[in-house]
Amino acid sequence: MNACIRSVVRTAISRNVEVIGIRRGYDGLIRGDVFPMDAASVGGILNQGGTILLTARSKEFMTREGQEKAVATLKRHGIEGLIVIGGEGSFHGARVLGTEWGVPVVGVPATIDNDIAGTDFSIGFDTAVNVALEAIDKIRDTAASHERIFVIEVMGRSVGFIALEVGLAGGAEAILIPEVPYDLDTVCKRIASGRARGKISSIVVVAEGAGDAAEVSQRIQEGTGLSTRYAVLGYIQRGGSPTSLDRVLAARLGYAAVDHLLAGRHTSMVGVSGGSVQVCDIDAAWTIEKRINLNLHELAQVLSI
Ligand code: F6P
């Protein structure tokens, strides 16, 4: 997100537009927690995870009164357009501001879950995948030395994008995601037949929306009779210095968001499709179904015999 904030601020300045930062999202907008940003204010943040603007969930903004206060802040500070960096919840808020209050607004997709349609990738996804992959590579050392099965739970809310990517990249023997029904007896048979062929350890990746690592681990241990452990990677996936892919994506989307806002393409979102930056209506984020690539799931199965 910091890489995107930097891009928005510096692109806007290059277009002779003043930038006001808002702390804690809609909550800060309601409370008037805003401050001017110049090129120097976004120096030295490109390699930092998180967001210098802070983030919060705002219940008050879901009410008409909250929205009225937010719009009053915009008016008071002469803010003529808004760029919202976030996930689906942030985009719903942006749509309300755009359609019900006439605020010119453009959304930039940023969530590790990658569950926003209208873009192939959201900011943060690649970094989260790489953090999880590094952890899995390390866990594999113990799995191999102790000849164990490891069940590793990754984030993703109700979708399996992180699990699928990490599972394929990490050579997992099974990838359990909400989009593909699974049967643990089949997983056990697969692991047992791998062991019979001389495989000494196995990794099972489970998306948080597809099951609980502790329960899956217990079932696999019972079903195979093999020593099984589990690890829930949790919040480490939301931190760390962003990968080059994420930094470049953030730079491109921040730049595009400013230009589309200035060009009057309001209540929209920017994204990437097939490598190119595109713009579409913001509600595409949830009205279009974002499909997971099932071929990757199949590929992971084939390669992990
Ligand atoms: O949406 C990002 C995410 O990290 C999900 O993967 C996870 O389920 C959720 O946020 C955790 O959010 P919270 O800390 O609010 O429970």
Side-chain angles (χ1 to χ4, degrees):
M1 280 194 179
N2 282 328
C4 187
I5 295 164
R6 173 178 175 269
S7 172
V8 166
V9 169
R10 293 193 174 166
T11 303
I13 289 169
S14 78
R15 308 289 194 253
N16 294 317
V17 171
E18 281 176 52
V19 187
I20 306 279
I22 301 157
R23 290 192 192 88
R24 299 183 190 85
Y26 297 122
D27 217 38
L29 204 51
I30 290 170
R31 276 162 239 308
D33 193 357
V34 304
F35 63 103
M37 297 185 85
D38 59 13
S41 69
V42 289
I45 65 169
L46 189 53
N47 57 343
Q48 287 172 21
T51 161
I52 57 163
L53 290 179
L54 310 177
T55 181
R57 300 216 162 101
S58 177
K59 283 211 173 108
E60 197 178 348
F61 186 73
M62 291 178 185
T63 66
R64 198 84 194 149
E65 295 72 33
Q67 291 159 17
E68 207 164 358
K69 286 186 202 163
V71 173
T73 301
L74 292 174
K75 289 217 172 98
R76 201 163 55 246
H77 293 273
I79 299 172
E80 296 165 289
L82 195 64
I83 291 182
V84 173
I85 309 169
E88 193 182 317
S90 309
F91 278 20
H92 277 288
R95 191 196 59 83
V96 168
L97 282 177
T99 57
E100 294 177 28
W101 298 89
V103 175
V105 57
V106 175
V108 182
T111 162
I112 64 166
D113 304 331
N114 202 29
D115 57 352
I116 295 186
T119 187
D120 291 346
F121 299 106
S122 53
I123 298 166
F125 172 66
D126 188 63
T127 303
V129 165
N130 279 285
V131 167
L133 184 60
E134 202 185 327
I136 289 177
D137 285 347
K138 286 178 179 157
I139 287 172
R140 205 176 255 291
D141 292 344
T142 301
S145 322
H146 289 255
E147 301 179 82
R148 277 180 186 157
I149 314 301
F150 259 91
V151 178
I152 300 168
E153 184 180 311
V154 297
M155 280 186 165
R157 213 177 276 278
S158 59
V159 295
F161 286 95
I162 296 178
L164 182 56
E165 199 85 1
V166 159
L168 177 57
E173 276 66 26
I175 305 172
L176 312 181
I177 53 176
E179 295 83 351
V180 180
Y182 65 87
D183 167 36
L184 284 181
D185 290 337
T186 311
V187 173
C188 289
K189 278 190 198 128
R190 199 175 150 77
I191 291 171
S193 75
R195 186 60 68 113
R197 285 193 319 272
K199 202 168 224 193
I200 57 167
S201 68
S202 293
I203 300 281
V204 175
V205 172
V206 56
E208 64 175 341
D212 176 82
E215 280 170 25
V216 172
S217 166
Q218 176 80 25
R219 288 275 310 276
I220 291 179
Q221 177 147 309
E222 284 164 9
T224 60
L226 298 169
S227 169
T228 308
R229 298 284 189 277
Y230 71 92
V232 178
L233 298 188
Y235 286 91
I236 64 161
Q237 293 160 97
R238 289 177 38 151
S241 185
T243 60
S244 62
L245 273 184
D246 260 335
R247 294 184 203 191
V248 171
L249 179 66
R252 294 176 78 194
L253 295 185
Y255 177 95
V258 171
D259 275 353
H260 285 298
L261 188 63
L262 295 178
R265 184 72 167 82
H266 299 156
T267 324
S268 64
M269 64 169 277
V270 290
V272 278
S273 174
S276 302
V277 175
Q278 63 168 15
V279 62
C280 58
D281 291 344
I282 202 162
D283 55 9
W286 58 88
T287 53
I288 298 175
E289 189 194 350
K290 181 156 179 175
R291 294 226 178 117
I292 205 146
N293 186 349
L294 294 179
N295 295 333
L296 296 185
H297 195 264
E298 171 67 23
L299 176 60
Q301 290 271 105
V302 170
L303 299 186
S304 65
I305 46 166

